[in-house]
Amino acid sequence: MKVLVLNAGSSSQKSKLYELNDNPSEAAPKALWEAYADWTHTPDNAEITISNIHGQRQQYTVHVTSRAAIIEHILSTLWSGSTQIIARPQEIDVVGHRVVHGGPDLYESTHITPEVQATIQRLASFAPLHNPDNLEGIEAAQRVLGQTPQVAVFDTAFHHHLPPEVRWYPGPYDWYNDGIRRYGFHGISHQYCMQRSASILGRAPADVRLINCHLGNGCSLAAIKDGHSVDTTMGFTPLEGLMMGGRSGTVDPGILIYLQREKGMDADQLEKLLNKESGLKGISGVSADMRQVMKAAQEGNEQAQLARALYSYRLRYFIGAMLTSLEGVDVLTFTGGVGENDAQLRSSTCAGLKFLDLALDEQKNADSPADAEISTPQSKVRVLIVHTEEDWQIAKESSTVLKKLG
């Protein structure tokens, strides 16, 4: 079965083609073909990189007219040009899309029908920075691939089993009926890392109490027990919880009232402030990229040093919250661009957890090995680095849905 995965970012587009057998592995295989388009630094031009499993590769820049145009362009390289990997579009069996917000109604991977598309569109008010981009990908694939089945894989779905006391906000009771509740995000990554962590340790996911630390430009933790998420740091939106690249994470809501009343800020200004001008970028004054912040901190920049310290403190703070939800922990996993590569952050985080009889092998940690254990044999808590593979998880989920369709 050939599964095409489309994963939309705010100013990027990842696409991969996988071939799955009847028993797909936990670890992600090499994709048959992959494409990445990024217009973060050049809003009018997309930097495109395309490669296939045979080693053919092309890299170039094209003028951006729309996300849909970029998707249609890169999909054509599947069956034409130097990176061609299939003879015709009809060889693709199913298309899987990462969709950020499924709201209260869409809580499992779902075959995309007109009704499902309409629901994703309606939920754009919950995720205005993400769902419209996801829809563009769905519509572009429909134009290019016609009747090929498409599947929506939701970032919120893995957290559907959150207990009531975790889902509810302590506001008016009717908030919940209006859809204002804790949904959680990064669920595709958390689910993959749960399965991969258990596989590395030779255990079943249901037998592991796991805290998964997804640390990238966006950051969240998930407390996982019996194979389900029982707590997480993100909530109604991806803004809640940990300090992130440009996002503040959890702050006193009274600050927003103060900024409205005293500084005259409106909703759009507050949204931009909290989502793009806070976090590492806001505190360091340097960048939302942890690599740049670390470099500045090492060079003596005091704001950058404070940003690193605050990031680490809030990570340990929320790990503490996850510990109480699990009533202990067996495995602590680090994933995402920061989680997988920042040895110093992992070391400082684990140093604050020594009371759990957690011991890090500092040499292994310094090497940042992918899909490996970095705790000592004596550590009562196993510590892992897992390279997250959201696209592979989307491919597996899409394959499962297609099989159910018959």
Side-chain angles (χ1 to χ4, degrees):
M1 181 187 296
K2 289 185 174 65
V3 182
L4 174 65
V5 174
L6 298 183
N7 189 337
S10 57
S11 40
S12 66
Q13 179 71 43
K14 287 195 299 180
S15 308
K16 290 186 180 181
L17 182 70
Y18 291 102
E19 190 158 42
L20 280 73
N21 57 29
D22 290 335
N23 296 295
S25 64
E26 298 294 354
K30 186 170 178 58
L32 298 178
W33 167 97
E34 55 186 296
Y36 182 69
D38 183 8
W39 50 96
T40 306
H41 306 296
T42 53
D44 295 331
N45 295 286
E47 299 171 1
I48 293 179
T49 302
I50 302 172
S51 60
N52 67 23
I53 199 168
H54 302 308
Q56 280 88 16
R57 178 182 174 90
Q58 50 181 323
Q59 195 166 10
Y60 53 91
T61 300
V62 299
H63 180 67
V64 174
T65 55
S66 67
R67 178 186 298 275
I70 292 296
I71 292 173
E72 292 177 25
H73 168 76
I74 61 179
L75 290 187
S76 69
T77 69
L78 275 163
W79 51 81
S80 64
S82 62
T83 55
Q84 177 184 351
I85 199 68
I86 57 176
R88 57 191 185 281
Q90 291 75 20
E91 290 184 40
I92 297 169
D93 295 292
V94 62
V95 184
H97 298 266
R98 172 179 174 251
V99 179
V100 167
H101 214 308
D105 301 319
L106 299 173
Y107 47 81
E108 61 183 1
S109 298
T110 304
H111 176 226
I112 297 173
T113 64
E115 292 75 22
V116 170
Q117 274 183 260
T119 302
I120 295 170
Q121 177 67 64
R122 177 172 54 79
L123 292 169
S125 61
F126 284 10
L129 302 178
H130 299 94
N131 274 31
D133 294 337
N134 306 147
L135 272 173
E136 278 193 87
I138 293 168
E139 292 163 356
Q142 287 170 337
R143 285 192 294 273
V144 175
L145 301 173
Q147 298 302 309
T148 301
Q150 300 198 59
V151 173
V153 182
F154 299 97
D155 245 346
T156 49
F158 185 59
H159 304 293
H160 178 63
H161 295 281
L162 292 177
E165 65 271 21
V166 177
R167 279 181 307 193
W168 250 262
Y169 281 108
Y173 185 86
D174 285 346
W175 273 7
Y176 190 85
N177 295 327
D178 291 336
I180 301 174
R181 60 185 77 172
R182 301 190 70 244
Y183 293 99
F185 298 88
H186 290 147
I188 300 167
S189 174
H190 288 306
Q191 184 178 8
Y192 174 82
C193 290
M194 171 195 71
Q195 295 169 348
R196 186 68 181 124
S197 296
S199 176
I200 290 168
L201 297 174
R203 299 170 68 177
D207 295 335
V208 176
R209 292 176 300 174
L210 169 71
I211 298 175
N212 191 57
C213 306
H214 179 107
L215 308 174
N217 188 49
C219 305
S220 71
L221 307 181
I224 301 170
K225 185 177 182 180
D226 298 325
H228 298 295
S229 172
V230 297
D231 203 351
T232 189
T233 52
M234 286 180 169
F236 178 63
T237 73
L239 185 58
E240 187 177 359
L242 296 169
M243 176 180 174
M244 307 179 215
R247 293 177 229 168
S248 63
T250 296
V251 297
D252 180 351
I255 295 171
L256 310 185
I257 298 170
Y258 170 81
L259 291 173
Q260 285 180 311
R261 286 179 174 168
E262 303 299 325
K263 303 295 183 180
M265 297 186 75
D266 61 22
D268 289 340
Q269 290 172 313
L270 289 173
E271 183 177 65
K272 181 180 179 182
L273 179 72
L274 295 176
N275 278 296
K276 298 183 177 180
E277 304 296 334
S278 298
L280 288 172
K281 182 179 180 182
I283 298 296
S284 72
V286 173
S287 173
D289 188 322
M290 179 63 90
R291 293 166 295 186
Q292 299 301 317
V293 175
M294 180 189 291
K295 182 174 183 292
Q298 291 170 341
E299 293 170 351
N301 183 311
E302 292 185 359
Q303 282 185 230
Q305 291 168 354
L306 174 61
R308 290 272 298 176
L310 182 54
Y311 186 102
S312 180
Y313 160 72
R314 289 174 75 87
L315 175 57
R316 295 193 308 274
Y317 176 92
F318 280 104
I319 287 174
M322 299 299 107
L323 279 171
T324 63
S325 293
L326 290 175
E327 299 179 350
V329 63
D330 302 312
V331 183
L332 180 68
T333 297
F334 290 92
T335 191
V338 177
E340 294 172 35
N341 297 294
D342 194 327
Q344 186 182 79
L345 177 69
R346 292 192 301 267
S347 181
S348 64
T349 301
C350 291
L353 300 173
K354 287 182 179 178
F355 66 93
L356 298 171
D357 290 331
L358 182 156
L360 203 62
D361 183 319
E362 293 295 349
Q363 184 55 58
K364 286 183 179 178
N365 179 55
D367 293 338
S368 295
D371 292 356
E373 183 174 359
I374 56 171
S375 46
T376 67
Q378 295 77 30
S379 181
K380 290 188 177 179
V381 178
R382 314 286 290 272
V383 184
L384 305 179
I385 300 173
V386 170
H387 177 58
T388 189
E389 291 279 6
E390 291 177 310
D391 295 331
W392 177 236
Q393 188 65 34
I394 293 168
K396 291 194 293 181
E397 292 283 317
S398 301
S399 169
T400 299
V401 171
L402 183 62
K403 288 174 183 176
K404 289 179 180 176
L405 290 176

